[in-house]
Amino acid sequence: MGIAAVILAAGEGKRMKSTLPKGLHPVCGVPMVELVGRALAGAGVDRRVMVVGHGRDQIQAAFSPEEYAFVVQEEQHGTGHAALMGAPALADYDGPVIISPGDTPLITSDAIQRLLLEHIQSDARATVATFHAADPAGYGRLVRDASGHPVRIVEHKDASPAERALTEVNSAVYCFDAKTLFAMLPKIGNQNAQGEYYLTDVLRLMAVAGMSTHAVVFEDPTLFQGVNDRWQLAEAAAILQKRIVKQHCLNGVTIIDPASTFIGLDVEIETEVVLEPMTVLEGSTRIGAGTCVMSFSRITDSTVGSNCIIKHSTLLKAVVGNEVNIGPYAHLRPKSTLGHGVRIGNFVEVKNAELGDQVAVGHLSYVGDAEVGAGTNIGAGTITCNYDGYRKHRTVIGEGAFVGSNSTLVAPIQISNGAYVAAGSTLTHNVTSDALAIGRARQVEKEQWAQQWREKNMKVQES
Ligand code: UD1
Ligand code: MG
């Protein structure tokens, strides 16, 4: 049997001023409680219990029951009461259990691993992660006895002036012996300034009972930085963002301006990629080696191949091959698949379309619900008319075709391999391979018409 953890996420999070439960607010693209959950999993925790209350339906809907065992705390009577809710889910469990709040998104696997290791090595029943706070106001203070053993944690509101002078504070992340914790929790009271059942009280009960307790002092207080309002959310995101950007830099990615580059936690980037200032890469995006993402590009849930250039463009759920050149001002929408060496120019929109190798769509075009064969050139201002007001229809263009500028292709339509479409055509019928289709009025020329027109009008002005 592995290691268990209980995440406390039942609190209301009033200061977020949000209809979204606090734990679901994303930090660098991942919900806060999931960041805590991932840090736990990375430290070897394989049984994760989440205590939910406020907004519990939304939280439960965001995860699968295989990921977390959910337990409900109907009313929030304090962290001790919340932790006790986890007991039934771990009734069969004997071993160390990590307790962590759900609103500390910056916690890492390394920190949890260290806490676990020291807990096991010190043979303690309770190990608390602490740090020295520059401003300890609001935190629970760790009180140690003469020999340095932790004996209790006193909440700020309950602390004496002498206790308030202590700077070592409780991070609210702990490791307990599960059996001891769940046996002790029903014994704590709520005779305190907040009338709550404090989880911190079990430390005192254990010390009084002569059980060994331990504290691990962490150097980096940001690990435990809590999020209670949206400014703290932004501050946490900035710290996590810096960690993410740094890791990509160390992996061989050039990031010209880390402060204006936003990379989601799950984005994968290969070496020799260059990210210019003011770029956003989010979701499950992957960028291949040697690609340059130029300023003002936003790439979401997309896969981009190697050695591409993306200028000032928006990509959503698109798949882009190698050596593709996109933008500026291009918009690739979901289910756009671009082959090798494709060129997408300015003001081009592509949606649900498969573009073969070396296809060029240079300027001002809409290619939607379409298939374009390799080597085909789509002239400026070409529009696939895919929608009749009720249904979407497909445009299929073969290989090596040439669609002249300002063509209107009324779908469903098929333009076969090697065909030409004359510029300015409106096509409603299929075109056979290697044919030329012209769908426009024939040019008429009236000799001397302009000269006569001018003369006639001059006379009118003179009279
Ligand atoms: C807690 C600690 C304090 C520590 C501080 C660090 C206690 C009594 N105090 O105080 O020593 O320094 O964290 O930030 O534990 N929750 C529930 N149900 C409840 C109450 C809380 O699920 O009934 C959850 C909250 O959603 C939150 C977490 O527990 O994620 C912590 O609760 P919070 O009220 O923020 O505790 P603090 O007052 O910050
Ligand atoms: Mg708190």
Side-chain angles (χ1 to χ4, degrees), residues 8-12 22 51 73 75-79 81-82 101-103 138-140 153 155 169-172 174 194 196 198-200 228:
L8 310 182
E12 190 174 0
K22 179 156 89 170
V51 182
Q73 185 193 26
E75 285 173 27
Q76 284 70 53
H77 296 302
T79 50
H81 180 246
D103 58 359
Y139 287 104
I153 292 165
E155 289 307 296
V169 299
N170 171 25
S171 70
Y174 324 78
Q194 302 182 80
E196 285 184 1
Y198 292 162
L199 172 59
T200 47
N228 296 304

PDB file of all heavy atoms in Angstrom, residues 8-12 22 51 73 75-79 81-82 101-103 138-140 153 155 169-172 174 194 196 198-200 228, ligand 1:
ATOM      1  N   LEU A   8      -7.646  19.629   1.981  1.00  0.00           N
ATOM      2  CA  LEU A   8      -8.791  20.337   2.578  1.00  0.00           C
ATOM      3  C   LEU A   8      -9.251  21.448   1.629  1.00  0.00           C
ATOM      4  O   LEU A   8      -8.532  22.424   1.423  1.00  0.00           O
ATOM      5  CB  LEU A   8      -8.401  20.934   3.933  1.00  0.00           C
ATOM      6  CG  LEU A   8      -7.718  19.978   4.934  1.00  0.00           C
ATOM      7  CD1 LEU A   8      -7.444  20.710   6.248  1.00  0.00           C
ATOM      8  CD2 LEU A   8      -8.567  18.730   5.173  1.00  0.00           C
ATOM      9  N   ALA A   9     -10.423  21.263   1.063  1.00  0.00           N
ATOM     10  CA  ALA A   9     -10.880  22.234   0.063  1.00  0.00           C
ATOM     11  C   ALA A   9     -12.372  22.506   0.198  1.00  0.00           C
ATOM     12  O   ALA A   9     -13.093  22.645  -0.787  1.00  0.00           O
ATOM     13  CB  ALA A   9     -10.561  21.730  -1.344  1.00  0.00           C
ATOM     14  N   ALA A  10     -12.845  22.562   1.443  1.00  0.00           N
ATOM     15  CA  ALA A  10     -14.280  22.770   1.650  1.00  0.00           C
ATOM     16  C   ALA A  10     -14.630  24.226   1.923  1.00  0.00           C
ATOM     17  O   ALA A  10     -15.795  24.612   1.885  1.00  0.00           O
ATOM     18  CB  ALA A  10     -14.766  21.899   2.808  1.00  0.00           C
ATOM     19  N   GLY A  11     -13.608  25.027   2.206  1.00  0.00           N
ATOM     20  CA  GLY A  11     -13.843  26.429   2.594  1.00  0.00           C
ATOM     21  C   GLY A  11     -14.540  27.226   1.505  1.00  0.00           C
ATOM     22  O   GLY A  11     -14.538  26.851   0.332  1.00  0.00           O
ATOM     23  N   GLU A  12     -15.105  28.348   1.918  1.00  0.00           N
ATOM     24  CA  GLU A  12     -15.933  29.118   0.994  1.00  0.00           C
ATOM     25  C   GLU A  12     -15.114  29.964   0.018  1.00  0.00           C
ATOM     26  O   GLU A  12     -15.523  30.171  -1.114  1.00  0.00           O
ATOM     27  CB  GLU A  12     -16.899  30.015   1.793  1.00  0.00           C
ATOM     28  CG  GLU A  12     -17.929  30.647   0.885  1.00  0.00           C
ATOM     29  CD  GLU A  12     -18.982  31.418   1.650  1.00  0.00           C
ATOM     30  OE1 GLU A  12     -18.918  31.465   2.884  1.00  0.00           O
ATOM     31  OE2 GLU A  12     -19.874  31.971   0.982  1.00  0.00           O
ATOM     32  N   LYS A  22     -13.079  28.206  -5.130  1.00  0.00           N
ATOM     33  CA  LYS A  22     -11.683  28.672  -5.078  1.00  0.00           C
ATOM     34  C   LYS A  22     -10.706  27.658  -5.673  1.00  0.00           C
ATOM     35  O   LYS A  22      -9.839  28.023  -6.464  1.00  0.00           O
ATOM     36  CB  LYS A  22     -11.303  29.002  -3.633  1.00  0.00           C
ATOM     37  CG  LYS A  22      -9.870  29.462  -3.498  1.00  0.00           C
ATOM     38  CD  LYS A  22      -9.646  30.315  -2.279  1.00  0.00           C
ATOM     39  CE  LYS A  22      -9.290  29.514  -1.062  1.00  0.00           C
ATOM     40  NZ  LYS A  22      -8.840  30.378   0.044  1.00  0.00           N
ATOM     41  N   VAL A  51     -11.453  16.798   0.625  1.00  0.00           N
ATOM     42  CA  VAL A  51     -12.603  17.214   1.436  1.00  0.00           C
ATOM     43  C   VAL A  51     -13.229  18.417   0.742  1.00  0.00           C
ATOM     44  O   VAL A  51     -12.580  19.451   0.568  1.00  0.00           O
ATOM     45  CB  VAL A  51     -12.173  17.587   2.874  1.00  0.00           C
ATOM     46  CG1 VAL A  51     -13.393  17.959   3.714  1.00  0.00           C
ATOM     47  CG2 VAL A  51     -11.408  16.427   3.515  1.00  0.00           C
ATOM     48  N   GLN A  73     -17.726  17.764   3.572  1.00  0.00           N
ATOM     49  CA  GLN A  73     -17.862  18.437   4.865  1.00  0.00           C
ATOM     50  C   GLN A  73     -19.030  19.418   4.691  1.00  0.00           C
ATOM     51  O   GLN A  73     -18.880  20.456   4.057  1.00  0.00           O
ATOM     52  CB  GLN A  73     -16.568  19.191   5.223  1.00  0.00           C
ATOM     53  CG  GLN A  73     -16.603  19.816   6.601  1.00  0.00           C
ATOM     54  CD  GLN A  73     -15.474  20.810   6.829  1.00  0.00           C
ATOM     55  OE1 GLN A  73     -14.946  21.401   5.890  1.00  0.00           O
ATOM     56  NE2 GLN A  73     -15.116  21.021   8.082  1.00  0.00           N
ATOM     57  N   GLU A  75     -20.846  21.340   6.734  1.00  0.00           N
ATOM     58  CA  GLU A  75     -20.648  22.667   7.329  1.00  0.00           C
ATOM     59  C   GLU A  75     -19.198  22.793   7.749  1.00  0.00           C
ATOM     60  O   GLU A  75     -18.607  21.828   8.238  1.00  0.00           O
ATOM     61  CB  GLU A  75     -21.569  22.844   8.539  1.00  0.00           C
ATOM     62  CG  GLU A  75     -23.010  23.072   8.127  1.00  0.00           C
ATOM     63  CD  GLU A  75     -23.950  23.080   9.321  1.00  0.00           C
ATOM     64  OE1 GLU A  75     -23.491  23.421  10.434  1.00  0.00           O
ATOM     65  OE2 GLU A  75     -25.124  22.726   9.134  1.00  0.00           O
ATOM     66  N   GLN A  76     -18.669  23.983   7.585  1.00  0.00           N
ATOM     67  CA  GLN A  76     -17.244  24.170   7.827  1.00  0.00           C
ATOM     68  C   GLN A  76     -16.994  24.597   9.276  1.00  0.00           C
ATOM     69  O   GLN A  76     -17.184  25.750   9.624  1.00  0.00           O
ATOM     70  CB  GLN A  76     -16.678  25.193   6.838  1.00  0.00           C
ATOM     71  CG  GLN A  76     -16.489  24.616   5.436  1.00  0.00           C
ATOM     72  CD  GLN A  76     -17.788  24.321   4.699  1.00  0.00           C
ATOM     73  OE1 GLN A  76     -18.648  25.177   4.581  1.00  0.00           O
ATOM     74  NE2 GLN A  76     -17.950  23.098   4.207  1.00  0.00           N
ATOM     75  N   HIS A  77     -16.596  23.623  10.070  1.00  0.00           N
ATOM     76  CA  HIS A  77     -16.340  23.893  11.484  1.00  0.00           C
ATOM     77  C   HIS A  77     -14.862  23.971  11.808  1.00  0.00           C
ATOM     78  O   HIS A  77     -14.478  23.826  12.967  1.00  0.00           O
ATOM     79  CB  HIS A  77     -17.016  22.826  12.350  1.00  0.00           C
ATOM     80  CG  HIS A  77     -18.513  22.834  12.230  1.00  0.00           C
ATOM     81  ND1 HIS A  77     -19.269  23.947  12.526  1.00  0.00           N
ATOM     82  CD2 HIS A  77     -19.380  21.870  11.822  1.00  0.00           C
ATOM     83  CE1 HIS A  77     -20.553  23.666  12.305  1.00  0.00           C
ATOM     84  NE2 HIS A  77     -20.642  22.420  11.872  1.00  0.00           N
ATOM     85  N   GLY A  78     -14.032  24.118  10.802  1.00  0.00           N
ATOM     86  CA  GLY A  78     -12.597  24.258  11.048  1.00  0.00           C
ATOM     87  C   GLY A  78     -11.779  23.152  10.406  1.00  0.00           C
ATOM     88  O   GLY A  78     -12.316  22.130   9.969  1.00  0.00           O
ATOM     89  N   THR A  79     -10.471  23.377  10.384  1.00  0.00           N
ATOM     90  CA  THR A  79      -9.581  22.448   9.672  1.00  0.00           C
ATOM     91  C   THR A  79      -9.521  21.071  10.329  1.00  0.00           C
ATOM     92  O   THR A  79      -9.348  20.067   9.644  1.00  0.00           O
ATOM     93  CB  THR A  79      -8.162  23.038   9.575  1.00  0.00           C
ATOM     94  OG1 THR A  79      -7.752  23.483  10.886  1.00  0.00           O
ATOM     95  CG2 THR A  79      -8.111  24.229   8.638  1.00  0.00           C
ATOM     96  N   HIS A  81     -12.025  19.598  11.953  1.00  0.00           N
ATOM     97  CA  HIS A  81     -13.281  18.962  11.551  1.00  0.00           C
ATOM     98  C   HIS A  81     -13.191  18.485  10.103  1.00  0.00           C
ATOM     99  O   HIS A  81     -13.621  17.367   9.762  1.00  0.00           O
ATOM    100  CB  HIS A  81     -14.418  19.980  11.750  1.00  0.00           C
ATOM    101  CG  HIS A  81     -15.763  19.474  11.375  1.00  0.00           C
ATOM    102  ND1 HIS A  81     -16.466  19.991  10.315  1.00  0.00           N
ATOM    103  CD2 HIS A  81     -16.536  18.496  11.914  1.00  0.00           C
ATOM    104  CE1 HIS A  81     -17.623  19.354  10.206  1.00  0.00           C
ATOM    105  NE2 HIS A  81     -17.692  18.453  11.181  1.00  0.00           N
ATOM    106  N   ALA A  82     -12.576  19.312   9.266  1.00  0.00           N
ATOM    107  CA  ALA A  82     -12.424  18.957   7.843  1.00  0.00           C
ATOM    108  C   ALA A  82     -11.562  17.701   7.697  1.00  0.00           C
ATOM    109  O   ALA A  82     -11.920  16.771   6.958  1.00  0.00           O
ATOM    110  CB  ALA A  82     -11.811  20.121   7.069  1.00  0.00           C
ATOM    111  N   PRO A 101      -3.717  22.046   2.666  1.00  0.00           N
ATOM    112  CA  PRO A 101      -4.840  22.855   2.193  1.00  0.00           C
ATOM    113  C   PRO A 101      -4.895  22.804   0.663  1.00  0.00           C
ATOM    114  O   PRO A 101      -3.893  22.518   0.012  1.00  0.00           O
ATOM    115  CB  PRO A 101      -4.514  24.270   2.680  1.00  0.00           C
ATOM    116  CG  PRO A 101      -3.116  24.249   3.180  1.00  0.00           C
ATOM    117  CD  PRO A 101      -2.602  22.856   3.144  1.00  0.00           C
ATOM    118  N   GLY A 102      -6.075  23.090   0.134  1.00  0.00           N
ATOM    119  CA  GLY A 102      -6.236  23.047  -1.325  1.00  0.00           C
ATOM    120  C   GLY A 102      -5.901  24.362  -1.998  1.00  0.00           C
ATOM    121  O   GLY A 102      -6.013  24.483  -3.217  1.00  0.00           O
ATOM    122  N   ASP A 103      -5.500  25.348  -1.211  1.00  0.00           N
ATOM    123  CA  ASP A 103      -5.282  26.667  -1.817  1.00  0.00           C
ATOM    124  C   ASP A 103      -3.827  27.110  -1.728  1.00  0.00           C
ATOM    125  O   ASP A 103      -3.528  28.290  -1.655  1.00  0.00           O
ATOM    126  CB  ASP A 103      -6.200  27.708  -1.170  1.00  0.00           C
ATOM    127  CG  ASP A 103      -6.005  27.818   0.334  1.00  0.00           C
ATOM    128  OD1 ASP A 103      -5.168  27.077   0.876  1.00  0.00           O
ATOM    129  OD2 ASP A 103      -6.688  28.657   0.957  1.00  0.00           O
ATOM    130  N   GLY A 138      -1.366  36.599  11.356  1.00  0.00           N
ATOM    131  CA  GLY A 138      -2.369  35.765  10.695  1.00  0.00           C
ATOM    132  C   GLY A 138      -2.047  34.286  10.728  1.00  0.00           C
ATOM    133  O   GLY A 138      -2.948  33.452  10.634  1.00  0.00           O
ATOM    134  N   TYR A 139      -0.778  33.946  10.846  1.00  0.00           N
ATOM    135  CA  TYR A 139      -0.397  32.530  10.867  1.00  0.00           C
ATOM    136  C   TYR A 139      -0.464  31.954  12.275  1.00  0.00           C
ATOM    137  O   TYR A 139      -0.351  32.680  13.267  1.00  0.00           O
ATOM    138  CB  TYR A 139       1.046  32.366  10.391  1.00  0.00           C
ATOM    139  CG  TYR A 139       1.248  32.568   8.906  1.00  0.00           C
ATOM    140  CD1 TYR A 139       1.820  33.730   8.422  1.00  0.00           C
ATOM    141  CD2 TYR A 139       0.890  31.574   8.005  1.00  0.00           C
ATOM    142  CE1 TYR A 139       2.034  33.916   7.065  1.00  0.00           C
ATOM    143  CE2 TYR A 139       1.091  31.746   6.643  1.00  0.00           C
ATOM    144  CZ  TYR A 139       1.665  32.918   6.176  1.00  0.00           C
ATOM    145  OH  TYR A 139       1.863  33.087   4.846  1.00  0.00           O
ATOM    146  N   GLY A 140      -0.566  30.633  12.338  1.00  0.00           N
ATOM    147  CA  GLY A 140      -0.396  29.943  13.606  1.00  0.00           C
ATOM    148  C   GLY A 140       1.100  29.873  13.904  1.00  0.00           C
ATOM    149  O   GLY A 140       1.902  29.607  13.014  1.00  0.00           O
ATOM    150  N   ILE A 153       0.700  24.463  18.368  1.00  0.00           N
ATOM    151  CA  ILE A 153       0.613  25.576  17.430  1.00  0.00           C
ATOM    152  C   ILE A 153      -0.480  26.485  17.969  1.00  0.00           C
ATOM    153  O   ILE A 153      -1.577  26.016  18.294  1.00  0.00           O
ATOM    154  CB  ILE A 153       0.253  25.084  16.009  1.00  0.00           C
ATOM    155  CG1 ILE A 153       1.416  24.272  15.410  1.00  0.00           C
ATOM    156  CG2 ILE A 153      -0.092  26.264  15.099  1.00  0.00           C
ATOM    157  CD1 ILE A 153       1.043  23.460  14.189  1.00  0.00           C
ATOM    158  N   GLU A 155      -2.887  29.689  17.240  1.00  0.00           N
ATOM    159  CA  GLU A 155      -3.389  30.558  16.177  1.00  0.00           C
ATOM    160  C   GLU A 155      -3.156  32.027  16.549  1.00  0.00           C
ATOM    161  O   GLU A 155      -3.203  32.388  17.738  1.00  0.00           O
ATOM    162  CB  GLU A 155      -4.885  30.301  15.948  1.00  0.00           C
ATOM    163  CG  GLU A 155      -5.159  28.965  15.299  1.00  0.00           C
ATOM    164  CD  GLU A 155      -4.382  28.749  14.024  1.00  0.00           C
ATOM    165  OE1 GLU A 155      -4.596  29.487  13.045  1.00  0.00           O
ATOM    166  OE2 GLU A 155      -3.517  27.846  13.993  1.00  0.00           O
ATOM    167  N   VAL A 169       6.277  29.807  11.710  1.00  0.00           N
ATOM    168  CA  VAL A 169       4.833  29.649  11.561  1.00  0.00           C
ATOM    169  C   VAL A 169       4.464  28.318  10.906  1.00  0.00           C
ATOM    170  O   VAL A 169       5.275  27.687  10.210  1.00  0.00           O
ATOM    171  CB  VAL A 169       4.225  30.806  10.734  1.00  0.00           C
ATOM    172  CG1 VAL A 169       4.453  32.142  11.436  1.00  0.00           C
ATOM    173  CG2 VAL A 169       4.760  30.829   9.314  1.00  0.00           C
ATOM    174  N   ASN A 170       3.224  27.940  11.141  1.00  0.00           N
ATOM    175  CA  ASN A 170       2.665  26.713  10.576  1.00  0.00           C
ATOM    176  C   ASN A 170       2.285  26.949   9.111  1.00  0.00           C
ATOM    177  O   ASN A 170       1.513  27.848   8.799  1.00  0.00           O
ATOM    178  CB  ASN A 170       1.418  26.339  11.404  1.00  0.00           C
ATOM    179  CG  ASN A 170       0.622  25.211  10.786  1.00  0.00           C
ATOM    180  OD1 ASN A 170       1.152  24.406  10.037  1.00  0.00           O
ATOM    181  ND2 ASN A 170      -0.659  25.163  11.120  1.00  0.00           N
ATOM    182  N   SER A 171       2.796  26.095   8.231  1.00  0.00           N
ATOM    183  CA  SER A 171       2.489  26.235   6.793  1.00  0.00           C
ATOM    184  C   SER A 171       1.119  25.659   6.451  1.00  0.00           C
ATOM    185  O   SER A 171       0.601  25.888   5.368  1.00  0.00           O
ATOM    186  CB  SER A 171       3.537  25.482   5.986  1.00  0.00           C
ATOM    187  OG  SER A 171       3.363  24.082   6.175  1.00  0.00           O
ATOM    188  N   ALA A 172       0.562  24.866   7.369  1.00  0.00           N
ATOM    189  CA  ALA A 172      -0.695  24.125   7.165  1.00  0.00           C
ATOM    190  C   ALA A 172      -0.520  22.868   6.313  1.00  0.00           C
ATOM    191  O   ALA A 172      -1.484  22.257   5.884  1.00  0.00           O
ATOM    192  CB  ALA A 172      -1.817  25.002   6.606  1.00  0.00           C
ATOM    193  N   TYR A 174       1.143  19.114   6.658  1.00  0.00           N
ATOM    194  CA  TYR A 174       1.611  18.239   7.734  1.00  0.00           C
ATOM    195  C   TYR A 174       1.737  16.811   7.233  1.00  0.00           C
ATOM    196  O   TYR A 174       1.118  16.431   6.232  1.00  0.00           O
ATOM    197  CB  TYR A 174       0.622  18.181   8.917  1.00  0.00           C
ATOM    198  CG  TYR A 174      -0.097  19.437   9.267  1.00  0.00           C
ATOM    199  CD1 TYR A 174      -1.184  19.885   8.516  1.00  0.00           C
ATOM    200  CD2 TYR A 174       0.290  20.171  10.393  1.00  0.00           C
ATOM    201  CE1 TYR A 174      -1.861  21.047   8.876  1.00  0.00           C
ATOM    202  CE2 TYR A 174      -0.384  21.332  10.755  1.00  0.00           C
ATOM    203  CZ  TYR A 174      -1.463  21.761   9.981  1.00  0.00           C
ATOM    204  OH  TYR A 174      -2.138  22.901  10.339  1.00  0.00           O
ATOM    205  N   GLN A 194     -11.970  31.510  17.538  1.00  0.00           N
ATOM    206  CA  GLN A 194     -12.818  31.405  16.341  1.00  0.00           C
ATOM    207  C   GLN A 194     -13.947  30.385  16.493  1.00  0.00           C
ATOM    208  O   GLN A 194     -14.749  30.206  15.573  1.00  0.00           O
ATOM    209  CB  GLN A 194     -11.955  31.042  15.120  1.00  0.00           C
ATOM    210  CG  GLN A 194     -10.855  32.076  14.873  1.00  0.00           C
ATOM    211  CD  GLN A 194     -10.012  31.766  13.648  1.00  0.00           C
ATOM    212  OE1 GLN A 194     -10.413  32.049  12.526  1.00  0.00           O
ATOM    213  NE2 GLN A 194      -8.857  31.164  13.860  1.00  0.00           N
ATOM    214  N   GLU A 196     -13.705  27.261  16.383  1.00  0.00           N
ATOM    215  CA  GLU A 196     -13.516  26.232  15.350  1.00  0.00           C
ATOM    216  C   GLU A 196     -12.729  25.050  15.899  1.00  0.00           C
ATOM    217  O   GLU A 196     -11.986  25.199  16.870  1.00  0.00           O
ATOM    218  CB  GLU A 196     -12.736  26.811  14.163  1.00  0.00           C
ATOM    219  CG  GLU A 196     -13.548  27.739  13.276  1.00  0.00           C
ATOM    220  CD  GLU A 196     -12.758  28.216  12.066  1.00  0.00           C
ATOM    221  OE1 GLU A 196     -11.590  27.809  11.912  1.00  0.00           O
ATOM    222  OE2 GLU A 196     -13.325  29.009  11.295  1.00  0.00           O
ATOM    223  N   TYR A 198      -9.675  23.192  15.472  1.00  0.00           N
ATOM    224  CA  TYR A 198      -8.389  23.425  14.815  1.00  0.00           C
ATOM    225  C   TYR A 198      -7.628  22.112  14.633  1.00  0.00           C
ATOM    226  O   TYR A 198      -7.366  21.399  15.606  1.00  0.00           O
ATOM    227  CB  TYR A 198      -7.498  24.312  15.693  1.00  0.00           C
ATOM    228  CG  TYR A 198      -7.909  25.745  15.892  1.00  0.00           C
ATOM    229  CD1 TYR A 198      -7.351  26.468  16.956  1.00  0.00           C
ATOM    230  CD2 TYR A 198      -8.779  26.413  15.027  1.00  0.00           C
ATOM    231  CE1 TYR A 198      -7.670  27.808  17.164  1.00  0.00           C
ATOM    232  CE2 TYR A 198      -9.106  27.748  15.237  1.00  0.00           C
ATOM    233  CZ  TYR A 198      -8.551  28.445  16.303  1.00  0.00           C
ATOM    234  OH  TYR A 198      -8.853  29.756  16.507  1.00  0.00           O
ATOM    235  N   LEU A 199      -7.237  21.834  13.424  1.00  0.00           N
ATOM    236  CA  LEU A 199      -6.382  20.682  13.159  1.00  0.00           C
ATOM    237  C   LEU A 199      -5.076  20.789  13.956  1.00  0.00           C
ATOM    238  O   LEU A 199      -4.522  19.791  14.427  1.00  0.00           O
ATOM    239  CB  LEU A 199      -6.079  20.615  11.644  1.00  0.00           C
ATOM    240  CG  LEU A 199      -5.054  19.599  11.171  1.00  0.00           C
ATOM    241  CD1 LEU A 199      -5.458  18.178  11.558  1.00  0.00           C
ATOM    242  CD2 LEU A 199      -4.891  19.677   9.660  1.00  0.00           C
ATOM    243  N   THR A 200      -4.638  22.020  14.121  1.00  0.00           N
ATOM    244  CA  THR A 200      -3.374  22.267  14.819  1.00  0.00           C
ATOM    245  C   THR A 200      -3.400  21.747  16.259  1.00  0.00           C
ATOM    246  O   THR A 200      -2.351  21.468  16.831  1.00  0.00           O
ATOM    247  CB  THR A 200      -3.094  23.778  14.836  1.00  0.00           C
ATOM    248  OG1 THR A 200      -4.290  24.451  15.242  1.00  0.00           O
ATOM    249  CG2 THR A 200      -2.713  24.268  13.461  1.00  0.00           C
ATOM    250  N   ASN A 228      -6.104  33.572  -1.219  1.00  0.00           N
ATOM    251  CA  ASN A 228      -7.410  33.887  -0.630  1.00  0.00           C
ATOM    252  C   ASN A 228      -8.202  34.882  -1.458  1.00  0.00           C
ATOM    253  O   ASN A 228      -9.413  34.974  -1.337  1.00  0.00           O
ATOM    254  CB  ASN A 228      -7.226  34.442   0.782  1.00  0.00           C
ATOM    255  CG  ASN A 228      -6.608  33.407   1.701  1.00  0.00           C
ATOM    256  OD1 ASN A 228      -7.133  32.316   1.856  1.00  0.00           O
ATOM    257  ND2 ASN A 228      -5.464  33.718   2.266  1.00  0.00           N
TER     258      ASN A 228
HETATM  259  C1  UD1 B   1      -4.390  27.600   8.914  1.00  0.00           C
HETATM  260  C2  UD1 B   1      -3.734  27.094  10.191  1.00  0.00           C
HETATM  261  C3  UD1 B   1      -2.619  28.055  10.618  1.00  0.00           C
HETATM  262  C4  UD1 B   1      -1.625  28.221   9.516  1.00  0.00           C
HETATM  263  C5  UD1 B   1      -2.345  28.700   8.248  1.00  0.00           C
HETATM  264  C6  UD1 B   1      -1.396  28.760   7.079  1.00  0.00           C
HETATM  265  C7  UD1 B   1      -5.524  25.991  11.451  1.00  0.00           C
HETATM  266  C8  UD1 B   1      -6.411  26.087  12.600  1.00  0.00           C
HETATM  267  N1  UD1 B   1      -4.713  27.000  11.248  1.00  0.00           N
HETATM  268  O1  UD1 B   1      -5.069  28.780   9.254  1.00  0.00           O
HETATM  269  O2  UD1 B   1      -1.962  27.549  11.782  1.00  0.00           O
HETATM  270  O3  UD1 B   1      -0.601  29.115   9.868  1.00  0.00           O
HETATM  271  O4  UD1 B   1      -3.397  27.803   7.900  1.00  0.00           O
HETATM  272  O5  UD1 B   1      -2.024  29.328   6.000  1.00  0.00           O
HETATM  273  O6  UD1 B   1      -5.566  25.020  10.742  1.00  0.00           O
HETATM  274  N2  UD1 B   1     -10.993  24.258   5.389  1.00  0.00           N
HETATM  275  C9  UD1 B   1     -11.973  23.300   5.226  1.00  0.00           C
HETATM  276  N3  UD1 B   1     -12.973  23.222   6.125  1.00  0.00           N
HETATM  277  C10 UD1 B   1     -13.037  24.030   7.204  1.00  0.00           C
HETATM  278  C11 UD1 B   1     -12.043  25.017   7.370  1.00  0.00           C
HETATM  279  C12 UD1 B   1     -11.032  25.101   6.448  1.00  0.00           C
HETATM  280  O7  UD1 B   1     -11.944  22.544   4.257  1.00  0.00           O
HETATM  281  O8  UD1 B   1     -13.971  23.870   7.980  1.00  0.00           O
HETATM  282  C13 UD1 B   1      -9.912  24.347   4.408  1.00  0.00           C
HETATM  283  C14 UD1 B   1      -9.952  25.648   3.665  1.00  0.00           C
HETATM  284  O9  UD1 B   1     -10.706  25.509   2.468  1.00  0.00           O
HETATM  285  C15 UD1 B   1      -8.481  25.894   3.373  1.00  0.00           C
HETATM  286  C16 UD1 B   1      -7.747  25.179   4.495  1.00  0.00           C
HETATM  287  O10 UD1 B   1      -8.680  24.304   5.077  1.00  0.00           O
HETATM  288  O11 UD1 B   1      -8.067  25.297   2.144  1.00  0.00           O
HETATM  289  C17 UD1 B   1      -7.180  26.140   5.534  1.00  0.00           C
HETATM  290  O12 UD1 B   1      -8.212  26.839   6.163  1.00  0.00           O
HETATM  291  P1  UD1 B   1      -8.093  28.356   6.582  1.00  0.00           P
HETATM  292  O13 UD1 B   1      -9.381  28.782   7.141  1.00  0.00           O
HETATM  293  O14 UD1 B   1      -7.527  29.139   5.471  1.00  0.00           O
HETATM  294  O15 UD1 B   1      -7.025  28.290   7.778  1.00  0.00           O
HETATM  295  P2  UD1 B   1      -6.154  29.505   8.288  1.00  0.00           P
HETATM  296  O16 UD1 B   1      -6.979  30.368   9.136  1.00  0.00           O
HETATM  297  O17 UD1 B   1      -5.447  30.118   7.152  1.00  0.00           O
END
